[in-house]
Amino acid sequence: MQSFGATFFLLTVVLVCCGPTGTTASYRLGVGRADCTGPPVEIGFMGYGEFSQRGQGIHLRQFARAFIFEDSDGSRVVFVSADAGMMGHAVKRDVLNLLKARYGDTYRFENVVLSGSHSHSVPSGFLMSYLYDIASLGFVPQNFDALVEGITLAIVRAHENVREGRVFLSETTVHEANINRSPSAYENNPQEERDLYRDYTDKKLVQLRLVDMADRLVGAINWFAVHPTSMNKTNRYISSDNVGYASVLLELDRNGVLVPGQGEFVGAFASTNLGDASPNIMGPKCEKTGLPCDMLTSSCPPGAGACIASGPGKDMFESTKIIGTRLYSAATTLLNAKGGREVNGPIKFAHQFIDMTEMKVPYVDPETGKQKVAQGCYPAMGYSFGAGTTDGPGAFDFRQATLTDSSFWNTARDILAEPTAEDKQCQAPKPILIASGRAKFSYEMQPKIVPTQLLVIGDIALAAVPAEFTTMSGRRLRAAVRQASVESGAREMTVVVAGLSNMYTSYVATPEEYAIQRYEGASTLYGPHTLTIYLEQFRKLMRVIARDETVEPGPWPPFEDDKQITLSTGVVFDGHPFGWYFGDCKLQPKETAYRHGDIVRVMFIAGNPRNNLMHERTYFTVERLRPDFEETNSVEQHSHRQDRWEVIATDANWETRFKWHRRSTLFAYSDIELEWEIADWIEPGTYRIQHFGYWRYILGGTFPYNGTTRNFSVQ
């Protein structure tokens, strides 16, 4: 942490021996998508840890995208990419409980991976770890339930629609879509290791393409290493950011629809080793002078402002669009080529919980060549964590690459939780700012027990990691899993790091990067050998899979649902001004015609959007009067035929935004302002905008309402 419309049909593919064209099916596959948008207003966002960054509306909705793979022996795995900041253990646990009620033991911790896309512009409050939920003032049940229900529905839809099919693996290079935001830390990795790679970040986009037996495209998973931080911490709209926009573009294109969330094809852009990979490719500069920042500390001279990196656009919206379009274009090129290598082979999986504070693994000290033992530490955050990153700077006087502490901040730290001498020695050279592993709250501040998981689909291995791995950490993990497979007598694997999966535990930097103590190293919870422990653990899981062995489940993470603190209040009631009612249009479209590039702005008397999250629906629609009815002169002839209006956009479209305004806290008056930017492809005609919502009665109950603007024209 820096710091999913309309119902759609889901398609799955099932393996049998032979398809209608004579080609052999490889797997049973399933694709599914569902809306999992969290509360769009009043809740703090996940990502930047900025208390003032609270939701005010929606730009892009959140979706969960599920993919099922099953081989001829009935071995099944599920991979889900959700437009969420990351994933929580309790979210996965409750998803599996709901699936168990439907399908028994088909879906379990071992064979299901839930991965968050890592957008920083989505609601917080679902992780059940105090430090991670602090921006939303604790646990937010409504957001937790939205994720659980949306992810479950996506998997259910995938499960219920099964067909034969095949899988292909392709790769391509994407330039000008990411940079390394901590180059000074990356450069501390061994020169001979860095010489193996051309770039400071991974530039490959890896794609799994799913087709049915008629060679029709039904799904695609794309992995590319980039932070979804094109939308910066001044943003107040829910947004799935650059990778979410890429998914929207891909699905609209392949399904031939206008509204996101519709159509059979499901396309995801999932997170991988994005820890130090930023989309702000113009690089960091001092905000007041425009001059470069100090490379090591990402700081600026006094009076020069904060060190902030920017994207390629004139603002965060354009930057999001540019980066998302580049990812979409790369994925589309691969899909159009219909090439790549077909994936064949059995499906296997392994999963184990481990207590990072108890882990001890052997390793060879690179400086002395001697065998040593790496010990996991109690979780702690370093001083440079407080500095934030160039994607979103922190507060106070913290700087990155800080290796010394201060008596002032240590005193403040010790009030919260005091680290032991062992903690300090174990975490060195990290100066501890937050001793989260020693905090005495009613529930964990950060996890100690973490999930590790490996899915194997033929010769593809998905290493599901519960953190943000840096570029080099991900490269080492891929190499370790690949080597373990070969040494166990199995096939050489193409390894994909599936980041931010199943649980969230901040970052994983290499020991060398850790020594520099930039943001990523300071946010590596379990000490300098966190990566060392993960490498050995994933080697172990690969060996278990290659040898058809079993592994103990490990210690279970604590159940802490009953201990959660919730300080964000729910909606008490909604009111409306005298002479107005919910759904009344307060600001109408202008009477003169609009043109391409114009923005239509309207406003309605509204209830609080948190009364109903409108999953699989929308808070508003942009509708066009179908051309075959436009010549009808009688308004009355139009009004009773709703099918004469065609929905061309909802609150899930890129061209739309809605913003909620609280007009009176005492009387609970509020408005919703809706915007629609008229794209070049919009045809001339007659249009209208409808708003849908729910209002809450002071004595209990919520009630639906809707409102419609007058018609307006586009020329």
Side-chain angles (χ1 to χ4, degrees):
M1 177 183 72
Q2 177 201 324
S3 333
F4 219 5
T7 302
F8 44 83
F9 182 75
L10 292 161
L11 197 40
T12 45
V13 187
V14 189
L15 166 59
V16 291
C17 68
C18 191
T21 62
T23 55
T24 301
S26 297
Y27 297 104
R28 303 181 61 177
L29 306 166
V31 299
R33 178 181 55 236
D35 190 341
C36 67
T37 306
V41 301
E42 301 182 309
I43 302 302
F45 280 174
M46 188 79 229
Y48 293 107
E50 185 79 21
F51 284 98
S52 63
Q53 191 185 23
R54 309 183 71 77
Q56 292 183 343
I58 293 178
H59 183 217
L60 291 174
R61 276 187 172 263
Q62 300 171 255
F63 290 95
R65 297 173 173 92
F67 302 83
I68 294 175
F69 301 80
E70 181 176 300
D71 65 15
S72 56
D73 293 330
S75 182
R76 176 176 291 201
V77 295
V78 182
F79 177 80
V80 178
S81 177
D83 292 329
M86 56 284 295
M87 197 46 58
H89 167 72
V91 173
K92 181 174 180 179
R93 180 202 65 204
D94 282 15
V95 166
L96 293 176
N97 286 338
L98 291 175
L99 292 172
K100 185 174 183 178
R102 281 177 172 262
Y103 307 121
D105 292 330
T106 301
Y107 303 108
R108 310 176 300 281
F109 270 94
E110 308 95 276
N111 67 345
V112 175
V113 169
L114 305 185
S115 173
S117 70
H118 202 40
S119 169
H120 284 42
S121 294
V122 291
S124 177
F126 60 92
L127 290 176
M128 296 194 182
S129 294
Y130 180 75
L131 185 62
Y132 298 139
D133 288 343
I134 194 170
S136 57
L137 302 179
F139 181 64
V140 181
Q142 189 178 34
N143 193 34
F144 180 88
D145 292 342
L147 283 171
V148 170
E149 293 166 7
I151 293 170
T152 302
L153 181 56
I155 297 174
V156 167
R157 285 173 166 169
H159 179 100
E160 297 298 321
N161 296 273
V162 174
R163 296 183 188 177
E164 307 170 5
R166 304 159 70 191
V167 178
F168 296 85
L169 174 72
S170 301
E171 295 180 352
T172 190
T173 301
V174 186
H175 294 293
E176 297 185 337
N178 64 8
I179 62 170
N180 195 307
R181 69 186 186 193
S182 289
S184 56
Y186 179 87
E187 289 175 353
N188 203 45
N189 291 306
Q191 181 67 53
E192 60 271 22
E193 181 180 34
R194 289 188 283 123
D195 288 344
L196 299 174
Y197 307 97
R198 172 181 172 180
D199 299 298
Y200 278 31
T201 56
D202 287 336
K203 304 294 184 180
K204 279 187 178 180
L205 182 146
V206 180
Q207 181 183 91
L208 283 184
R209 173 166 54 94
L210 288 65
V211 300
D212 65 13
M213 296 312 296
D215 201 33
R216 290 187 298 256
L217 180 67
V218 296
I221 314 174
N222 305 277
W223 287 276
F224 183 77
V226 65
H227 251 80
T229 49
S230 291
M231 301 294 289
N232 62 46
K233 67 180 184 179
T234 68
N235 173 50
R236 300 295 183 268
Y237 294 100
I238 283 182
S239 173
S240 52
D241 212 287
N242 45 45
V243 292
Y245 180 55
S247 294
V248 167
L249 285 176
L250 192 62
E251 292 180 338
L252 291 179
D253 177 24
R254 293 292 149 171
N255 288 315
V257 296
L258 299 176
V259 176
Q262 298 179 348
E264 299 178 357
F265 170 83
V266 177
F269 286 78
S271 60
T272 179
N273 57 318
L274 49 68
D276 51 5
S278 169
N280 295 310
I281 59 176
M282 304 310 292
K285 294 180 175 62
C286 299
E287 62 177 335
K288 293 183 179 180
T289 66
L291 297 175
C293 312
D294 178 76
M295 181 177 174
L296 177 62
T297 64
S298 292
S299 61
C300 294
C307 176
I308 301 176
S310 60
K314 65 179 183 294
D315 57 25
M316 61 182 169
F317 292 97
E318 186 174 74
S319 292
T320 300
K321 191 172 187 177
I322 292 171
I323 298 297
T325 300
R326 288 173 181 170
L327 299 182
Y328 152 76
S329 298
T332 297
T333 299
L334 290 177
L335 293 177
N336 289 341
K338 295 184 177 181
R341 171 174 58 80
E342 183 166 8
V343 179
N344 286 289
I347 287 177
K348 300 180 181 181
F349 46 85
H351 179 286
Q352 187 175 48
F353 290 109
I354 58 173
D355 187 337
M356 291 295 289
T357 68
E358 298 291 334
M359 292 297 292
K360 295 181 181 180
V361 300
Y363 77 103
V364 176
D365 188 321
E367 294 185 359
T368 66
K370 294 183 178 180
Q371 187 89 1
K372 292 188 176 181
V373 175
Q375 167 75 57
C377 310
Y378 266 64
M381 305 294 271
Y383 269 64
S384 297
F385 164 73
T389 75
T390 54
D391 289 339
F396 303 107
D397 58 347
F398 294 109
R399 291 189 176 191
Q400 296 201 60
T402 296
L403 294 171
T404 58
D405 55 8
S406 80
S407 58
F408 173 80
W409 287 112
N410 284 351
T411 300
R413 172 200 67 195
D414 293 349
I415 294 173
L416 181 66
E418 185 175 0
T420 66
E422 291 79 7
D423 292 337
K424 295 176 183 179
Q425 181 180 6
C426 187
Q427 291 279 356
K430 177 198 291 181
I432 298 175
L433 177 64
I434 304 175
S436 51
R438 300 295 179 183
K440 302 300 182 181
F441 289 106
S442 61
Y443 58 100
E444 282 189 325
M445 199 170 187
Q446 289 179 301
K448 299 181 182 70
I449 297 173
V450 306
T452 60
Q453 186 176 16
L454 198 61
L455 305 184
V456 171
I457 305 166
D459 61 351
I460 308 298
L462 300 185
V465 296
E468 302 175 54
F469 275 51
T470 63
T471 298
M472 194 61 84
S473 294
R475 289 168 174 172
R476 290 185 188 179
L477 180 61
R478 293 198 298 264
V481 173
R482 186 165 54 246
Q483 181 183 18
S485 178
V486 172
E487 290 177 348
S488 300
R491 305 164 69 177
E492 182 171 346
M493 293 286 168
T494 297
V495 183
V496 175
V497 177
L500 298 108
S501 292
N502 305 325
M503 181 185 282
Y504 186 62
T505 60
S506 292
Y507 284 74
V508 176
T510 69
E512 295 85 354
E513 294 164 348
Y514 186 95
I516 300 299
Q517 279 297 290
R518 280 182 58 85
Y519 180 87
E520 295 80 14
S523 304
T524 297
L525 296 190
Y526 310 108
H529 294 296
T530 301
L531 177 61
T532 310
I533 293 169
Y534 276 122
L535 294 181
E536 184 55 38
Q537 176 65 14
F538 276 90
R539 290 189 190 102
K540 172 185 174 181
L541 295 182
M542 187 68 251
R543 290 192 293 265
V544 165
I545 288 175
R547 298 167 182 171
D548 290 323
E549 298 173 348
T550 59
V551 63
E552 293 295 323
W556 197 259
F559 180 89
E560 299 189 313
D561 299 40
D562 55 341
K563 301 176 182 178
Q564 297 300 306
I565 296 173
T566 301
L567 298 180
S568 60
T569 59
V571 181
V572 179
F573 74 100
D574 292 296
H576 56 81
F578 180 77
W580 295 86
Y581 194 70
F582 299 109
D584 286 351
C585 189
K586 188 175 178 180
L587 175 64
Q588 292 280 3
K590 67 182 185 179
E591 295 183 359
T592 56
Y594 292 89
R595 299 184 181 275
H596 292 157
D598 289 347
I599 295 177
V600 183
R601 289 185 175 90
V602 299
M603 190 177 294
F604 292 87
I605 303 297
N608 192 309
R610 290 178 62 193
N611 291 325
N612 191 306
L613 301 184
M614 307 297 281
H615 285 170
E616 307 294 312
R617 293 181 287 171
T618 178
Y619 288 105
F620 71 98
T621 55
V622 179
E623 303 173 8
R624 182 191 177 202
L625 185 63
R626 287 166 49 187
D628 47 332
F629 294 109
E630 283 190 354
E631 295 180 1
T632 304
N633 294 320
S634 170
V635 174
E636 289 77 12
Q637 291 178 20
H638 287 259
S639 61
H640 70 284
R641 288 285 306 277
Q642 296 297 321
D643 60 342
R644 296 184 176 185
W645 291 92
E646 176 187 14
V647 175
I648 64 165
T650 70
D651 63 17
N653 284 80
W654 173 267
E655 300 81 10
T656 65
R657 303 176 195 176
F658 95 71
K659 187 174 184 179
W660 180 74
H661 301 271
R662 170 70 79 186
R663 298 302 185 188
S664 169
T665 301
L666 178 62
F667 298 106
Y669 299 164
S670 61
D671 300 333
I672 280 185
E673 180 183 356
L674 312 176
E675 293 184 0
W676 174 48
E677 182 179 2
I678 304 175
D680 291 344
W681 56 267
I682 294 295
E683 298 178 1
T686 301
Y687 291 80
R688 72 181 186 185
I689 294 176
Q690 288 204 78
H691 164 51
F692 308 90
Y694 284 75
W695 64 276
R696 182 174 295 276
Y697 185 42
I698 193 169
L699 298 180
T702 57
F703 303 90
Y705 69 87
N706 76 283
T708 307
T709 66
R710 66 187 174 207
N711 296 353
F712 60 93
S713 64
V714 174
Q715 292 184 356

